[in-house]
Amino acid sequence: MEDAGTTGHPAPGGARRSLGWATRAVHAGQRPPRPDFTPTAMPIYPSSAFVYDDSATLDAVFGNEREGYVYTRYGNPTTRAFEEAIAALEGTEDAVAFGSGMAAVYAALLLDARAGDRIVAAPDVYGASYAIFANLAPSLGIETVFADFRDLGELERTVRDVRPTLLFCETISNPLMRVVDLAAVARIAAAADARVAVDNTFATPYLVNPARFGIDSVVHSATKYLGGHGDATGGAIATSKERAGRLRELNKMIGAVLGPFESWLILRGMTTLPLRMHQHSANAARVAAWLADRPGIAHVNYPGLDDLGSVAAIFNGNERGGMISFDIAEASQDDAFRFLEALDLALPATTLGDVWSVVLYPAMSSHRALPPERRREIGIGDGLIRLSVGLEDAEDVIADLDQALTTVAMYRQAVV
Ligand SMILES: Cc1ncc(COP(=O)(O)O)c(C=O)c1O
């Protein structure tokens, strides 16, 4: 009988004794000796646990005295590669991966707020983030006060009165594309000894690096532009080494970890982030300019259309990303549905940041959790459509929007 084969860590019985067929089935080919070659692309490590030659090393890794991996919920080499890439692109000391963007938002809250604390959040954030602050936080004994982060005077007054431990907003808000002056927000927070978490999903580290302005937690849904291909769900927080250490301890307990396969997919997506963001930005700028001139469109929200004044300084360059929202003039929910159904190219899907164009009706999906009157107060009306401009030819996206808007207008004329 043959030996169990390549097992760096000794298989039961080792080479001293021939192994039974079932034993070989279990161990053969596993744990090869450490290679002396380096793969050019990061390998996927699906292993849920890792072994060492001696228990002292294992003990040191468990005790965080030595770098290494013992169990994938605590850390995994492929996930670590993704974390290092995020930290490198955001310019932070470290980053921690999460199983989704929402797990990252929740962890950002838990890191800086406890029962009895207060937080100040922007109301125009992704609907599920709004639900965390409006509904879940109070159930944990954390009070949320909402404030307009573009009105810095109001924000300063609110922070002075409320004395929050944490401020939360989005760099480019979902779905109204409002841009926040991160340097001013960081100053206001520092004066009250509060931390700031910013969701940088729409901007990505290609457009904006919030940590440059003193933001403490840079939160991402990696499901969107970072992955970029609509095939992986994940999240991350880029932050200091000390805060990342605390987040990691938190995630050891709550287990909202990113799996190695998803980590690998998103890491692979990130290698083309600059190319994709450049083209998303160029395409969206053209589509936004076209929409702004199109009869039947009441308003277009795109950070590249308006003069942002001094707030423009948060951007790394002149590009403004791929996210647009627009109001179809006097549209009802029926009109919005008809528009979504009339599109041939853009997909009516609940996501963004993919290579293909995606449209979403916030009132139905991303912001469904908000009561209708709250949605309207924030500025999310019945005719508001969110568009994530993909990497198609911009003329094709424009032609698709044009024919769908014409269909809506024709239907309206027919029923009047
Ligand atoms: C700005 C923003 N943050 C967070 C999330 C949540 O991300 P995930 O779906 O990966 O949990 C989303 C999802 O659309 C989002 O748009």
Side-chain angles (χ1 to χ4, degrees):
M1 190 178 288
E2 287 174 22
D3 180 354
T6 48
T7 52
H9 196 78
R16 287 186 304 257
R17 197 162 93 31
S18 58
L19 299 172
W21 192 87
T23 307
R24 279 187 280 153
V26 170
H27 288 279
Q30 307 281 356
R31 284 154 255 123
R34 283 177 205 100
D36 63 354
F37 55 82
T38 305
T40 53
M42 183 65 205
I44 306 175
Y45 286 85
S47 193
S48 38
F50 303 87
V51 292
Y52 293 87
D53 292 343
D54 58 276
S55 303
T57 307
L58 183 62
D59 184 52
V61 177
F62 260 118
N64 292 332
E65 290 142 25
R66 177 198 190 285
E67 287 204 4
Y69 302 95
V70 289
Y71 188 57
T72 278
R73 176 158 52 79
Y74 295 12
N76 173 283
T78 315
T79 306
R80 183 66 196 142
F82 162 70
E83 292 174 339
E84 281 175 358
I86 292 274
L89 298 193
E90 282 294 8
T92 54
E93 286 175 355
D94 205 350
V96 180
F98 291 90
S100 69
M102 285 321 300
V105 171
Y106 183 49
L109 172 74
L110 294 184
L111 181 64
D112 287 313
R114 318 245 163 300
D117 288 345
R118 286 187 285 249
I119 66 167
V120 172
D124 54 324
V125 290
Y126 174 53
S129 302
Y130 183 91
I132 283 196
F133 301 129
N135 307 330
L136 186 60
S139 77
L140 301 174
I142 301 164
E143 187 191 337
T144 305
V145 176
F146 288 101
D148 184 348
F149 275 54
R150 289 170 314 161
D151 182 342
L152 295 172
E154 184 204 321
L155 183 67
E156 195 163 14
R157 274 189 301 281
T158 307
V159 167
R160 215 181 298 126
D161 293 348
V162 170
R163 310 294 307 171
T165 55
L166 175 69
L167 278 65
F168 185 99
C169 66
E170 294 172 354
T171 317
I172 301 175
S173 77
N174 180 0
L176 297 169
M177 313 303 156
R178 292 173 178 158
V179 182
V180 168
D181 185 341
L182 298 178
V185 170
R187 262 196 311 276
I188 290 169
D193 196 24
R195 307 280 86 76
V196 189
V198 163
D199 184 332
N200 202 30
T201 299
F202 277 26
T204 81
Y206 176 78
L207 294 185
V208 181
N209 292 125
R212 276 210 293 137
F213 306 99
I215 301 303
D216 302 284
S217 291
V218 182
V219 179
H220 281 284
S221 166
T223 316
K224 317 300 183 192
Y225 288 107
L226 296 177
H229 295 74
D231 52 15
T233 296
I237 299 179
T239 186
S240 69
K241 202 170 164 51
E242 184 273 325
R243 290 165 59 79
R246 285 194 279 132
L247 280 171
R248 230 167 246 125
E249 289 307 312
L250 178 72
N251 218 10
K252 276 186 192 174
M253 290 186 282
I254 63 177
V257 293
L258 186 63
F261 184 57
E262 280 73 16
S263 301
W264 180 82
L265 275 174
I266 298 168
L267 180 66
R268 187 173 67 155
M270 284 167 66
T271 59
T272 56
L273 183 68
L275 300 175
R276 287 186 287 106
M277 286 310 290
H278 175 66
Q279 197 57 42
H280 280 300
S281 300
N283 284 2
R286 287 190 57 190
V287 172
W290 175 82
L291 278 168
D293 281 343
R294 172 81 165 61
I297 299 296
H299 189 68
V300 183
N301 304 303
Y302 182 64
L305 277 185
D306 310 317
D307 178 8
L308 297 174
S310 60
V311 181
I314 72 162
F315 287 93
N316 292 331
N318 294 325
E319 293 171 300
R320 298 289 180 265
M323 296 303 300
I324 298 174
S325 62
F326 56 94
D327 260 304
I328 305 177
E330 288 159 40
S332 63
Q333 181 164 312
D334 268 2
D335 296 329
F337 281 13
R338 197 148 289 116
F339 172 77
L340 296 183
E341 287 160 12
L343 290 164
D344 287 327
L345 190 65
L347 303 167
T350 309
T351 193
L352 62 105
D354 291 348
V355 288
W356 35 75
S357 291
V358 177
V359 283
L360 171 144
Y361 185 50
M364 174 178 67
S365 47
S366 62
H367 290 69
R368 194 186 185 100
L370 276 68
E373 54 297 349
R374 186 68 177 130
R375 274 201 301 265
R376 266 175 229 118
E377 267 169 37
I378 295 169
I380 303 169
D382 285 346
L384 188 78
I385 304 286
R386 192 186 80 187
L387 169 65
S388 166
V389 182
L391 300 180
E392 302 94 343
D393 293 295
E395 299 74 37
D396 290 333
V397 178
I398 289 172
D400 192 30
L401 295 172
D402 198 29
Q403 63 81 22
L405 288 166
T406 303
T407 303
V408 174
M410 279 167 46
Y411 177 82
R412 273 197 195 154
Q413 272 171 5
V415 293
V416 170

